[in-house]
Every structure is written in structure tokens, then in C-alpha cells.
Amino acid sequence: MAAYVQSLLDQFHQRTPLRVGSLVVTVFGDAVVPRGGVLSLESLLAVTRAFRIGDGVVRTALSRLVADGWFARWKVGRNSFYRLTPAGAAPFARATERIYAGRPPAWRGSFDLLLLDGADDRAGVRAELAAAGYGTLAPDLMVGIGERAGEGGFLRLAGAPDDLATARRLAARAWPLDAVGARYARFVSAFAPAAEALEAGRHPDDLDALVVRLLLIHEFRRAVLKDPLLPAALLPEDWAGEAARDLCGRLYRSLAPAAERWLDRHARSDAGALPPPSPAFAARFAAPLRVTENLAI
């Protein structure tokens, strides 16, 4: 095993709790959904063993995901198979757009200001707006980029700052940009050695390539799903998000051929070998981003 692969696995295991269920969701969303969506338990365990995770821990995590409605499970003979349910697939589809798409559109010079008014459940309205990407300026005043919310429970106001510096200060006040930027910086620090190794020709074997790709998306997801995805003009000058996305895209494209080769040869569904990836797979980290809701899985 290459040193950079070992280092990434060591960092993964330093997290407490390990959240194996979240990793299983990453495996399906990144590697299985583009190839039909169904995976055998034995194929999944072959991947999680490469992560140094015990089979019993994975089985327990799967049972919880099934009980919570994220996954469906069935048997063919003695073999168990899993797929995301419609309830589990819908939020992951929205998360997928955030993870693999390109950068947000340019800023048009104004904010969408929403004054909460007349709602019986202001806390609920506030939570829904936050999930749609709105920041908080005051307990009853939310701010967004473009009209991401429909009608109901608030008054919509127009807000056009006098200059870009004012707009940036407002963005820094409304969204946790420092915390998100720090997540991106940690991501870059963790995965830069892997990029350097690949560029120097130190390629992992097929299974390790899949492991690194899954770790890459698992960790990038932790940052991007907290990111309000503001236009570049509103971000701090030292923003690490662009470097993180560029690094993620470069690494992903470098690792994909070997990772897909392992899936071709070893991963199985209830119909046999997994089908080839869908056409949308080739567009990952290339398509423009349409901002949807902020999700944390």
C-alpha cells in the first residue's frame, strides 16, 4: 500500500465517531448509483475491509440505514443485496449536484432579503430557508443569493449594497464562511500529498484507487454540504474552496479509471456484474452548478 493511501486511512480512522453509515452512503452515491444502484453485501464488505473496518460494524450500520428508510435490502439465495430507497436517493441526488458540479454563477449585485412575518412556526420557516442556502442576519431576517425560496411566512425585500466591500462584509456576517473555509483548507492539506504522488507516477492498485476516491468524496462532501456556494465576488480573498474543488476534480479524474476497473472486475449486483457507468458519470466535476439546498448526510 502506498504511503499516501496509508496516511489518508490513518486520518480517516482518527475521526470519532467513525460514522460507518455515512461512508456506506458515500460508497453507494459515488460508485454504485451510476452503475445501476444495486450492490451485494459481499462486494460492499470487500470495499470496507480495504478501509480496515470490521464486517460486524458494517452490518450494524446497514441495519440502521435500512431501519431509517435510507436503504432497501433483499436476498437472492444466501446473498444479500442493497440499494438506496427513493426516500434515500432524493436527498443524495441533490447532494450529488453540489459535490460533482462546477462553480456557482456570478453574482448579479443584489441579495434576496426575507423578513419573517406572520408565520405560526417561525423556527420551522427559518430552518427551511437555512436548508435552501439562506444566511441569517438577525433572528427574523434571512439573506440569500437569488430567489431560492418560494412564498410563505416572510416578506421579500430587495437589497443592493453600495459597493462590493459592503456586500462581502454582509456575506461574512450572514454565513459561517470562516468555518467552511477552514474545512476546505484541511481538505487541501490532507489530499495534496496524494495529488503529488499521482503526478509523480506513483499510482495505487485498483482497490486502493477506489478507496482513495471514496475518501476524497467522503471528505469533500463534509465541506461542500456546509458551503452556501456564494459567488466568488462575495468570498474572502483567502477562500480555499476553489483550490479544494480543483484538487478534488483532478484527483477524481486521475483515480477513476483504476477505481472503475476494480468495480468492473469485482463488484456484483443481483443481476451479476455491475453495468457500465451512466453518461452522467463522465460529466462529474465538469458541469455548471445550479445551487439547490444545503444538505448534510
Side-chain angles (χ1 to χ4, degrees):
M1 178 179 290
Y4 63 89
V5 180
Q6 185 67 54
S7 176
L8 288 170
L9 281 171
D10 289 344
Q11 293 176 58
F12 172 73
H13 280 274
Q14 287 167 8
R15 296 189 180 279
T16 53
L18 201 54
R19 297 187 66 197
V20 173
S22 182
L23 177 65
V24 169
V25 173
T26 298
V27 172
F28 273 78
D30 181 68
V32 182
V33 169
R35 304 185 62 141
V38 177
L39 190 67
S40 71
L41 175 61
E42 284 306 311
S43 298
L44 177 62
L45 292 177
V47 175
T48 53
R49 287 166 191 156
F51 277 85
R52 307 198 311 250
I53 300 173
D55 292 359
V57 176
V58 177
R59 292 174 188 272
T60 298
L62 283 167
S63 294
R64 289 173 179 166
L65 289 167
V66 171
D68 290 343
W70 279 83
F71 278 83
R73 173 176 54 200
W74 66 98
K75 281 197 167 190
V76 178
R78 298 178 63 182
N79 299 315
S80 296
F81 298 89
Y82 294 83
R83 76 178 310 149
L84 284 164
T85 64
F92 200 88
R94 295 191 292 270
T96 293
E97 186 176 0
R98 282 177 159 260
I99 294 167
Y100 302 103
R103 295 169 177 81
W107 188 46
R108 297 182 178 180
S110 64
F111 292 101
D112 188 28
L113 296 175
L114 304 181
L115 179 64
L116 304 189
D117 178 73
D120 294 332
D121 181 15
R122 291 196 181 193
V125 173
R126 190 181 297 109
E128 290 177 6
L129 291 173
Y134 282 77
T136 302
L137 287 173
D140 286 340
L141 183 61
M142 309 288 285
V143 59
I145 306 299
E147 294 187 5
R148 303 181 191 175
E151 300 295 333
F154 54 80
L155 299 175
R156 172 164 273 135
L157 311 171
D162 292 336
D163 52 49
L164 188 55
T166 300
R168 282 182 171 173
R169 287 198 298 271
L170 188 148
R173 177 175 173 178
W175 287 279
L177 298 181
D178 287 346
V180 176
R183 283 176 178 260
Y184 280 131
R186 290 193 295 271
F187 174 87
V188 171
S189 177
F191 285 93
E196 293 169 3
L198 287 172
E199 289 167 2
R202 299 196 298 275
H203 296 281
D205 64 27
D206 292 354
L207 181 54
D208 282 351
L210 179 61
V211 167
V212 175
R213 191 182 96 181
L214 292 168
L215 283 170
L216 181 79
I217 295 304
H218 192 63
E219 295 303 320
F220 186 65
R221 188 180 75 176
R222 291 166 62 92
V224 77
L225 296 186
K226 299 293 185 182
D227 189 347
L229 299 174
L230 302 181
L234 299 178
L235 295 170
E237 292 183 0
D238 60 349
W239 183 246
E242 184 173 356
R245 183 171 288 279
D246 286 343
L247 174 63
C248 192
R250 285 191 289 113
L251 263 174
Y252 195 89
R253 289 188 292 271
S254 294
L255 294 163
E260 292 300 303
R261 190 162 54 239
W262 189 91
L263 293 169
D264 287 338
R265 294 174 178 175
H266 301 285
R268 294 291 181 268
S269 72
D270 56 351
L274 299 188
S278 65
F281 179 81
R284 286 181 169 180
F285 294 103
L289 175 64
R290 292 177 296 127
V291 177
T292 56
E293 60 185 292
N294 192 9
L295 301 167
I297 299 174

